[in-house]
Structures are given as C-alpha cells and as structure tokens.
Amino acid sequence: MVYSLPEEVLEHVFSFIVSDKDRNVVSLVCKSWYEMERWCRRRIFVGNCYAVSPSIMIRRFPEVRSVELKGKPHFADFNLVPEGWGGYACSWIEEMSKAYPWLEEIRLKRMVVTDESLELISTSFKNFRVLVLSSCEGFSTDGLSAIAANCRNLRVLDLQESEVMDLSGHWLSHFPETFTSIESLNMSCLGSEVSFSALERLVARSPNLKTLRLNRSVPLGKLSTLLHLAPQLVELGTGAYSSGIRSDVYSSLSKAFLGCKEIKGLSGFWDVDLSYLPAFYSVCSRLTTLNLSYATIKSPDITKVISQCPNLQRLWVLDHIEDSGLNALALSCKNLQELRVFPSDMYAADANVTLTEQGLVSVSQGCTKLQSVLYFCHQMSNSALITIAKNRPNLTCFRLCIIEPRTPDYLTHEPLDIGFGAIVKHCKNLNRLSLSGLLTDRVFEYIGVHAKKLDMLSIAFAGDSDLGLHYVLSGCKSLKKLEIRDCPFGDTALLANVAKLATMRSLWMSSCAVSIGACKILSQKMPMLNVEVIDENGTLDSKLDSCLVEKLYVYRTVAGPRSDMPGYIWTMDRDSSSRI
Amino acid sequence: MAYGERGGPTWFFKSGRILLVGTRERSSQTFCLLSSNGGTFFFLSLNTHFLSPNLLSLPSITLKIVLFDPICLFQALPNSYFLFDFRLTTHRSLDLMTSPLLDVEGGGQGNESLMNSASTMESVFQMNPGLTERNYLGLSDCSSVDSSAVSGISEVKRNNLNLKATELRLGLPGSQSPGRDSDIDLASSTCLDEKLLFPLLPSKDGICSGPQKIVVSGNKRGFSDTVDEGNWMFGSSMVNSDASKSLVQGKFTSNASVNGKISSGTQPAMIKDATSKMVPQEQAHATYGASLNKVNASNPAAKTQVVGWPPVRSFRKNIIATNSKNNDEVDGKPGPSALFVKVSMDGAPYLRKVDLRSYTTYQQLSSALEKMFSCFTIGQCGSQGASGRGSLSESKLRDLLHGSEYVLTFEDKDGDWMLVGDVPWNMFIGSCKRLKIMKGSDAIGLAPRAMEKSKNRS
C-alpha cells in the first residue's frame, strides 16, 4: 500500500525519521525508497572519515545540510596516535563547498583543519550556521577571523578542546557589528587573551546567546559585566575564577548571577578562588550540569557547592571530591545521570585524597538515574563492582580506570573478572565499557556472553591469551569500536574473527602480539578493510612475517586505501607487503 | 657581558665566573658546561659550525669569549643542583674533554671542582688554529688525542675510551650516548658516562641519581627503541665489561694525582666531568647496582613512563599541570604531571607532541626527537635508506646530530625563540611553549639572546 503513495507524501513521512540507523534501514526497503530517501537526507554522520570518500557521500546524498565527521582514532586523545597521522578535513571541505552550497552545519572531531579550510567554509556556504570543532587542530585564530567575518548567520561556534594557534586575540572583533545571530560560543580552549571589548560588544548585541564558554584569560572582574549583558544565558563557562581580595568584584558578581534566571550549566572555574564560590550559589538550585573538573578545590568546598544543586544531572569533578563528597552527592542529587571523576595527580596516589571504590558505591546507591560513569581511582574490589552493578542495572556507560595497571582486588588480591562480569551481566543496556585492573581471559568470556549491546570497548593491560580477544570478537554482537593496548592478544584471535571486523567501525591494537604476517593475511582475506600498521620507530621488518607490529589500526572502508598516509604507516599491499 | 675577540683561538677565564665560548661564525649553537666550583658555575659555549665538516678547512676560527657573573643562573636553579649540558660538539674537540677542561688552580678557590689536571687549557689552545681534521665518524685513528689521562692504555682501548667518554656531540647533551640502551651490559662504564652528562644532585644521592633515571627511562615503552643499539659508532668493544673495568682502573691509576686532589677537597658529587673515569671503581659498581635494583623493583617513577596511561586527554593533563603549577607557588606541593608541547621541524610536513615532563634531561628529549624526526633527515640527506636496521639507525643519528644542519630551538613564554640547552632543564620546561627543529642557518643569533635572558633574570 505504501508503495502507491506519491513521492512527496513519502518524503514527508521520511522527514519524521530522525535516527541515522532508521534512515539506513528505510533505504534498504526497495530501490524507490532508496532513491527517495537519499534525496531527502539532510544530516550525515561519518564515524570515520576514511571509511567513505567525500565524493561517494555527495553522489548518494545530494541535498545534505549538516555533516558530522570524525577523524583520528579515539586513542589519539591520549597521545597514542603520532602527530601527522591524518584525519585531514580539507578534502571534505573542498568537495562539499562545490556540492553543498546550502550546507548549514559542520561538526568535526579529532580532525586536522587548516585556516584555508576555515576560509573556504566561511565563503562557500551562504547559510552557514553551525561550526563545531571538537578536539581538532591545525588552525589558528586567523581561520576563526574568517569565520567571524563572513558567516553572517552563524549560530554556533564551538571549539571544544581544540588546539588553536593563538596568533591574535582580535579575531572576535571580526564579527561584524550587524551580526546578532550567535547562540553558542565556546572558546574555552584558547590560550591567549581575547579582545574583551569585542567580546563585550558581541555579547551585548546577541539576544539569542544561550551558551558562552570563556577561556582562562578572561578575568573574573569582567564576568559580571558579561552576565549583566546576557542574563538569558543557559550555559556559562567562566574564565579565571579568582581576583585577589576585592569586595566589589564579589558583590557585583553575585548580583550578576542573581539576575541570571536561566542558567542550567556551569563550567570553567580555572584557578578557582574559594572565597568567590558563594557568588554563584543563587543559580545552583537550577543547575543540571556542573563541571568542576578544572577547579582544584577540596572536598568540603565541593560538598558545599553540590549540596546546593538538587537538580544536578551531570557532574564532572576532580578526585578532590573524595568519598565524603560523593556520599553527599548521593544524598542530595537524586537526578544525577552522569558522573565523571578525574584524577588530580596522574601517577601517584595523593595521600591526602581519600577516593576509593566506596564513593562510587554510594553514588550508585543514592542516584537511581545514574547512567554514565567515568571514574579514576586507585583501588577497587569485586564486591564493590557487584554492588554497583546490582544497584544500577540502568548503566549504559561504565568507564573505570584504576590508575596503576593490573591492580587486583585490593581486598582479596584476586583479578577483577567477577566484578566487571557483574557489570556486563546486570547492565543489559551497556554500550560503552572501559576496563582496568588485573583481568584474566575470564572477564572477556563474561563480556562476550552478556554484553550484547556493547558498542565501544576499551581494554588495557588485561587478558592472558588470544582466547580473551576471541570471546569479545565472537560474542559482542553490537561491537563497533574496539581499542586495545598492552594485551597479549595475537594473530589467532584476530584471524579467527576476520569477518567480524567488517561489521565494526574500527579496531585499534597497540603493544599487543599481532604479527605483520597476520596483518597481511587479514588484508588479503578482507579487501574492504584498510589494515594500517603504525611503525614509528622504523623497526618493522616487513619481510619477516613473525615481526610484531607496534600499533595496528583496522577499519572498514568503501573508499579504498587512503592517500594521505605519513611515512611511518605501512599498508598491506594485496599481493605483497610494500611501503607506500 | 664582555666580549673578547681575537683572530685566533683564545680563552678567557676567571675563577668563580661563567665561561662562555662561542665562535664568530654564526653563534647559532652553544655548548654549555655548567659546573660547580663551590657555588660558582662555569658556562662554556661553542659554536656548532665551528665543528661542522664544512668549516674544517677554515684557516682560523675566531672564538668569542664571554664572561659574566653566574649568580643569576644559580639563583634560578631550584634545589641548587648541578647540571652538565654538553651539546653540539664533535669528535674534533676530543681534547677538550679527555684532558682536563679548565684549570682553576690559579684562581685559588676552584681546584676541586675541576676534576682534571692542569693541561686543560693548553689543550684548548692546541687544537687551534691548526685544527687537525678528525674522522667525523670516529672511525679513524685518534692520534691527535694526546690526553695524558689515557696514556697507559692500549691504542685500541684508547680510541674507544676517548671517543666514547669524551666525544662532544652534536645535538643535545648526550643525545646518543653510546651504550645507553645496553646499559645493563655496559655496567660501570655507562654509568660513569651518564653521570657526567646528566644533572646531578649534589649531596646525598649524588652520583647515583643521574644513572638511575636513565636506566628507568630505558625501560619506558617505546622509548627504549629510541636510542639505537648504542654502540653504532664504536663497535661493540666497549660493551665488554672487563674492558671497561680495566679502563676505569687504568685511568684511575694513571690519574692518581688528580684523584688525590679530588678526594682531598670536595664532595664526591662534584666528580662528574667527562673525564671522571677516575671515580673509584667500587663507586661505579655501587652506582650500577643501585640503579639496577631500582629497575627491578619497578620504581614508581617507571609508572609515569607509560605513554597514554592513565587515559586522560593531553588537553586536560596540561590544564591540571598548569593548575598544580600555580598551586606549587602557594603550598609547595609536588610538581605537575605532564606538559605537552608541539614540535615542528623545518621541512617536515607534520607536527608532533612531546610531554616534556616525561623526560628529565636534555639527553632524553633529544633521543626522543631524534627518533621522531629521523625519517626526514634520512630522506633529506639521501643516505642509504632502509637497507637494514643498523645502517638506518646509524645514518639517522648522524644526520640529525652530526650533520649540524639542524638545531633544536624553543619558544619561551615571552614568545622568543631560543636554543634548547642554554638554560638548566627545569628552567627550560618552565618556559618552553613549543619546540622547533630549525635549519642551523635560520637559527643564527638565537644563542646570545638566550644568554642575555638568563642574565637578565638575575
């Protein structure tokens, strides 16, 4: 019956289908649906910029308005991917500039973006609205100047954790005086000072500004000025949150916060000065998001703040919160959905910071809506993990980092297999999991059996043998991204599950036991996979098949081998291995 | 600053002062020696090009000698530790190091700090202006090495010893100390070597502290490959621990008088010049044993060496690092944990990042950079390429460190570009914003600036 519907009607129906997955399914129904769907697809998400080429995307989806691209592997965040690896945005932007004059949104993550590309963006798309550069690099404030000067309808400029070369703080003054459309501006990653007068004028003339995240160089004294100009702000990232002892700063700041009736999210707090914390207490009751992860304040002070925030849904904080602070969180924030606790010291346990598994157990008991956890600590036990799993079967994301690799259960000195096993067993909707601590192949057996919805798995310093990897690859039906470092997983497991790799987005293995010979076989068996070996040290002997590879990145692609590889990447030629 | 410039080689020294030597020809590279003399420092700077092959044929080289008060530098050093920075030198100047470098006996207060005998100054003179051309790879005879220190040792050993122990290298201090990798085998000799080149804590830990750090870093994942098999230049003769033992012994005895001088006056920590082979053998072994134990006990410091662990974004790490730096000033807590800076290289198409806090000396940094950018230097120098590992690493090292074509520079907090290695390591990581491996010719004029800067800090 639906087949008889006119195209216009069907297109209208399709427009209500938002999720990428559902759209993909729709396009598989029949040829005519495929045709109709591709003409009315407005949003594209490409999880790996090398999995498809811009020309293929443009050929199939000619009327796109919004593109989201991801570049480097996730481990690039932790400096495991050498510089110059790739993830260049320029070819995409060039082709899109020709094909999509009506493009409105570009969101890039972990990509290299040049100033030229930013200039091209600023001049090619007439109705450009959203630019999100998340953990990107390669551009400077000059590129931002071009965006500011030319994108007259820009609504969102978000430079989240990007590395921007700070050539000038005056890029903000390139926004024309007639420009009033900005809704969200995140420049928290910028290192140098921005022109405050330009910022002030921009904020003053932007009635729709809802999100403003300042960088560290904006002094606290100026914050109240900005808040007075933009009382409609919903998300605020402060600059430096200290200003000597000046009562006028404090009083004007607390007055300014009083006027902000919409604020729901707070972040920033660089160089925080405790005495200024109460200035924002007036907005605490409305807060749903609080990021104190750059604020080095001690547990009692954190506790004071969060006890004022009953509606908190997301909290990011340093381990200075300690168990006591997490207990308080469990009692006062019943709507908490996401908790991230970062280490204040990357390597050594600070004797003065008491953050153990107990804090997380408390939160799992008290916060019944908790779904997402990122937790760095120094000790863990199986019993604690089992309690957490039983308390919070609704967890979808569980990332636990016990900082010292291969730490056993500190009570029983046994591996943490049972604990993580309980997590995957009880949390049926778990889609992201990061493992740490002492783990044997057993935990991977649990994961393979239970974690059917797992989408992304990170493994470090774990497992005993190939069996571990085999459990995961053969068991986790939904697995898309698998990243492994320093595990004794090797050829057998990899080659036994080659077909699985074609269903995944990517596999990263570094410091494992995979040989170059296995990489060659993998590449031969699965021509749709790009098998890239990263050999930074120049130690790889490609003729010696038993030679172990240092870093391996495998991903499926319809675009064939990429052309922008640096010299230290080896690909497996289909016939024989050769260096490109 | 006072400049003394003459047509020929020249030298200028006053006890208790910093000695700085540079050449007229492009003062782009400096060679620094900071040494302690009961609270005073010597600062020696040489120009790379002075030592580069192209300049070997120059009839004469003018040395600039700069003299200034070291107190400012000293004050800037935390914990008043001693730093030996040997950078950008070649085998050409072997004499400088084999024989005593400076003689401060005349100065009255300094004799203990100079672990070497009085012939030093002469040897500096001797090597100029008729600089005898040495085999650049250190493979030829070392006939011009006429150090008295090694006179009792067989010719072969002498070659090895001299080259190994005294070679002044292009590049950052000790950037390719032969045998660093295989330090377990090299035992005492390596330790001694390292000790000379690395920052030393003056008192309690004294000599041990340097080597320990090195050995631990050798354990670091991925980093251990950095330094190639170690003895690329010298064959494996030095790896024989017996040989090195006897060398130590031989030196020790032949330098009995010097040794006496040392033991008479100063703290052992002061014995750390390149020639301090004269350190008693037992001490060397003790050092080695200590460092080995440390490694085996998986010293907590080793944890800090795992790249990318714990999985915290470098962006955040930097934030926390700067935060805790700020805190330091307030409550004196231990230092921050990571500091990532970008490294670029002239002619290389990409940048890299290094965590300055994962290194403790200029040597380690240099070795790491050498590895990262080796492919470009190899390509550019058109050497044999990947025809086997040995030759690869050899050319790699030679190109980056001995080609003298490249110099390592950094941008400091004030946005000025300066040569790496002029200031003590801690001061360096405190001010370094980014690194750049420049063509030597582009770096002209950077060095003096760095010096002035340090001086201005007083």
Side-chain angles (χ1 to χ4, degrees), chain B residues 69-117:
Chain B
D69 194 315
I71 300 304
C72 52
L73 255 173
F74 185 42
Q75 283 168 341
L77 280 175
N79 309 324
S80 68
Y81 74 75
F82 306 117
L83 178 70
F84 272 79
D85 274 349
F86 292 170
R87 52 189 305 263
L88 294 167
T89 57
T90 68
H91 321 303
R92 176 80 105 57
S93 47
L94 286 177
D95 312 34
L96 269 180
M97 301 308 298
T98 15
S99 50
L101 187 54
L102 301 166
D103 181 14
V104 284
E105 267 181 290
Q109 63 185 104
N111 39 349
E112 312 92 0
S113 76
L114 294 180
M115 323 73 200
N116 309 300
S117 74

Side-chain angles (χ1 to χ4, degrees), chain A residues 487-498:
Chain A
C487 295
F489 301 152
D491 302 348
T492 320
L494 198 58
L495 295 180
N497 296 283
V498 283

Side-chain angles (χ1 to χ4, degrees), chain A residues 77-80 83-84 135 137 161 163 189 216 270-271 293-294 296 316 342-344 346-347 350 376 401-405 460-461 485-486 511 536-539 568, chain B residues 221-222 225 303-304 306-317 319-320 322-323 326-327 333 337-338 340 342 350-355 371-372 389 392 396 434:
Chain A
D77 284 351
F78 316 132
N79 212 20
L80 285 178
E83 293 279 328
S135 302
E137 59 182 337
E161 299 200 0
E163 282 182 53
C189 64
R216 197 175 190 162
W270 324 90
D271 313 313
S293 65
Y294 297 135
T296 45
W316 293 20
F342 295 96
S344 51
M346 301 304 158
Y347 306 112
D350 186 339
F376 288 82
C401 177
I402 305 161
I403 289 178
E404 171 68 23
F461 309 101
R485 60 167 296 170
D486 296 272
S511 307
E536 265 187 287
N537 302 331
T539 53
Y568 54 75
Chain B
R221 212 185 163 90
D225 303 324
K303 268 186 272 172
T304 69
V306 181
V307 175
W309 191 266
V312 176
R313 291 186 184 189
S314 35
F315 182 84
R316 177 172 293 278
K317 281 187 177 180
I319 297 293
I320 291 170
T322 43
N323 267 342
N326 292 343
N327 288 348
K333 263 180 57 180
S337 44
F340 285 92
K342 285 203 161 182
Y350 56 77
L351 298 167
R352 298 230 175 172
K353 256 181 288 184
V354 293
D355 176 6
K371 180 189 74 171
M372 286 179 190
R389 199 184 159 180
L392 190 73
K396 189 195 305 180
R434 71 188 76 161

Side-chain angles (χ1 to χ4, degrees), chain A residues 264-337:
Chain A
K264 293 205 162 58
L266 279 181
S267 60
F269 302 107
W270 324 90
D271 313 313
V272 67
D273 181 339
L274 283 180
S275 51
Y276 286 97
L277 282 180
F280 70 83
Y281 279 4
S282 59
V283 301
C284 277
S285 61
R286 278 187 297 271
L287 288 185
T288 57
T289 302
L290 181 59
N291 182 348
L292 293 173
S293 65
Y294 297 135
T296 45
I297 51 177
K298 303 285 177 222
S299 182
D301 307 305
I302 302 175
T303 308
K304 232 179 266 172
V305 175
I306 56 180
S307 60
Q308 318 248 353
C309 309
N311 294 311
L312 217 51
Q313 293 173 10
R314 268 172 304 279
L315 176 66
W316 293 20
V317 75
L318 285 174
D319 56 12
H320 290 146
I321 191 172
E322 304 192 44
D323 288 346
S324 56
L326 290 174
N327 282 333
L329 178 71
L331 292 174
S332 56
C333 303
K334 294 298 175 188
N335 290 321
L336 193 75
Q337 294 171 13

